[in-house]
Amino acid sequence: MSRIPQTDPELTHRLTRRGMLGVAAGATAAALLGAVSSPAAAATGTATDTATGEVGRGRPVLPPGRLGIQLYSLRDKISTLGFAPVFAELERYGYDEVEFAGYTQGSAGPITLAQLRRLAKDHGLTPIGSHVGYYSSDPNAYTFAQNLTKVLDDAEALGLEHIGTASGPFRYGSTVDAWKRAAEEFNTYGAAARARGMKFYQHNHSDEFGFASDDPKVRLYDVLLAETDPDLVHLEMDIFWAYAGQFRFSKRPDGTPAPFEPLDYVLKQPHRYPLFHVKDGVSDPSNQFGYRMVDVGDGDIDYQRFISAVTRLRGERQAHHWQTEHDNPTESFTFARRSSAYLHSLRERC
């Protein structure tokens, strides 16, 4: 059963983020987009508990101004409608930020980076990051390895705070030394990004949590963390894929236990995780990844627990950015709207 609150979708659709901020003093976008039973409930910070269905009070779990979306989830709409209508919808849904997966995504009509930056600003959206390829056999490819200067030039033109890759560090294989070699390249990209005031990051899938082919006692993700400079290389944890990695790699190849908790990685080094992908999944042991991807709020990943654990750390509440994502949503605008509503509805447990 869906945990997404049953609010009035038309009301949610009409309220822009700017309009919401003026509805009532002290009422946040979270209160308005969340599971509120009435405007009075929004103003007093009450919300429906998504587990029990009871109305309760509490600080929003989601920090204000930190909800974004990975635009890959909306690639079908961008390719048919263009960026402007998509950004208008995201503004209505209460999003604050966008993360790119390419700067055209088959957009209906040409657009420059300057136009794209201005368009986002016009809709109250901050371009927060972008995914770029790690390497290619093509010397002219738009990747970090082949065209680092161009990649950083474009990120700077967009005003990005972060620039990263969703490619795993498998360029040289899956041995410990192969990952050390990739980590050194990541350090180089991180240093170049920092010189321009940006943070370089790597986004995981599930394979990063597997084991080194030459030493099955070593988890590859641990090599990446150990061999990259924490001041130069940051991580964007894709929470869904991290839990898929937990499902796949909680035992070593010889069958001995090797349990891990994705959240623990973040709590040990929160400064290394400025960005997160918030995507949800229904537990399904018959699936090779252990989960079936669904809209945020429809699955079994406990986002109240996860986000609260990170934002309750001293000095960390505003230090992270939470990007919703679904690789193949049934209807992408519906995914974006419902995921925002669910995350905004979450309240801290007293």
Side-chain angles (χ1 to χ4, degrees), residues 245-325:
Q246 181 192 58
F247 174 83
R248 294 180 66 195
F249 302 112
S250 284
K251 291 183 179 180
R252 297 185 180 89
D254 65 1
T256 57
F260 73 95
E261 167 54 53
L263 178 58
D264 288 345
Y265 278 107
V266 182
L267 298 183
K268 288 176 183 176
Q269 300 186 71
H271 63 286
R272 297 206 71 176
Y273 294 88
L275 303 168
F276 292 92
H277 272 190
V278 180
K279 61 174 67 163
D280 212 343
V282 173
S283 179
D284 180 4
S286 68
N287 185 298
Q288 63 174 320
F289 299 111
Y291 294 89
R292 288 182 292 103
M293 199 175 295
V294 295
D295 292 355
V296 181
D298 282 347
D300 296 320
I301 297 176
D302 189 346
Y303 276 110
Q304 179 152 8
R305 168 181 171 266
F306 195 103
I307 299 175
S308 292
V310 176
T311 58
R312 283 176 176 171
L313 294 173
R314 185 180 180 88
E316 297 294 328
R317 180 157 174 79
Q318 292 292 132
H320 308 273
H321 305 266
W322 306 89
Q323 320 292 311
T324 66
E325 188 186 30

Side-chain angles (χ1 to χ4, degrees), residues 82-257:
F83 280 101
V86 171
F87 285 176
E89 288 299 293
L90 294 177
E91 181 182 22
R92 293 187 185 101
Y93 301 159
Y95 283 93
D96 309 291
E97 301 171 337
V98 289
E99 182 185 33
F100 291 96
Y103 306 129
T104 60
Q105 295 188 238
S107 174
I111 189 168
T112 67
L113 294 179
Q115 290 171 331
L116 194 55
R117 182 177 183 175
R118 185 166 57 252
L119 185 62
K121 182 179 179 180
D122 288 346
H123 289 287
L125 298 168
T126 300
I128 195 65
S130 181
H131 287 184
V132 176
Y134 168 18
Y135 67 94
S136 172
S137 59
D138 178 1
N140 297 313
Y142 189 78
T143 64
F144 282 96
Q146 277 65 47
N147 277 291
L148 177 60
T149 299
K150 174 60 173 171
V151 167
L152 296 180
D153 284 347
D154 290 349
E156 199 168 20
L158 271 172
L160 300 181
E161 296 179 23
H162 311 83
I163 180 69
T165 183
S167 302
F170 291 96
R171 182 179 188 182
Y172 305 107
S174 57
T175 66
V176 172
D177 284 343
W179 274 52
K180 287 182 177 180
R181 188 177 176 186
E184 190 55 41
E185 291 184 342
F186 282 11
N187 285 332
T188 299
Y189 308 150
R194 188 170 75 164
R196 302 205 193 194
M198 293 178 283
K199 293 179 179 179
F200 170 80
Y201 65 95
Q202 192 268 342
H203 162 286
N204 65 274
H205 292 87
S206 63
D207 286 339
E208 285 89 335
F209 296 95
F211 300 97
S213 58
D214 60 334
D215 188 347
K217 293 182 180 179
V218 175
R219 194 180 301 280
L220 289 171
Y221 196 70
D222 295 336
V223 177
L224 178 65
L225 286 168
E227 297 296 327
T228 50
D229 186 330
D231 293 327
L232 300 178
V233 177
H234 300 82
L235 291 308
E236 176 180 61
M237 180 174 280
D238 186 302
I239 300 168
F240 172 92
W241 287 120
Y243 279 102
Q246 181 192 58
F247 174 83
R248 294 180 66 195
F249 302 112
S250 284
K251 291 183 179 180
R252 297 185 180 89
D254 65 1
T256 57

Side-chain angles (χ1 to χ4, degrees), residues 3 10 14 24 50 62 83 106 134 321 338:
R3 292 177 288 147
E10 292 305 316
R14 290 196 304 268
T50 54
L62 190 70
F83 280 101
Y134 168 18
H321 305 266
R338 297 178 75 242

